[in-house]
Amino acid sequence: METTTVTDYLAGLDAPLREITDPSGRLVPGARQMAAVKLRTLADVDPALFTDWLRQAHDLEAK
């Protein structure tokens, strides 16, 4: 079984990731239509927030 990281998953999407709504302010716009988040400790992982980002990215790709 191959392990896929969130970064790998997002990189494979053809979605404008800079259009993701992020009221937390943790998603940082990057080059072109990419975005990034910095994780320094395990406490930085917010499953609900990250799930919302993935759901939005999936919905944007489907448009």
Side-chain angles (χ1 to χ4, degrees):
M1 177 198 276
E2 183 179 332
T3 302
T4 302
T5 66
V6 171
T7 302
D8 291 340
Y9 177 79
L10 291 175
L13 291 176
D14 186 26
L17 300 179
R18 295 180 75 176
E19 294 181 23
I20 292 175
T21 303
D22 176 35
S24 75
R26 293 178 60 192
L27 195 60
V28 179
R32 291 170 276 167
Q33 294 189 23
M34 297 301 293
V37 64
K38 292 186 180 180
L39 303 174
R40 291 176 181 83
T41 69
L42 188 55
D44 291 337
V45 176
D46 182 339
L49 179 63
F50 295 178
T51 298
D52 182 52
W53 291 343
L54 292 171
R55 187 173 298 113
Q56 289 184 60
H58 178 269
D59 292 348
L60 286 168
E61 184 178 42
K63 286 184 178 181

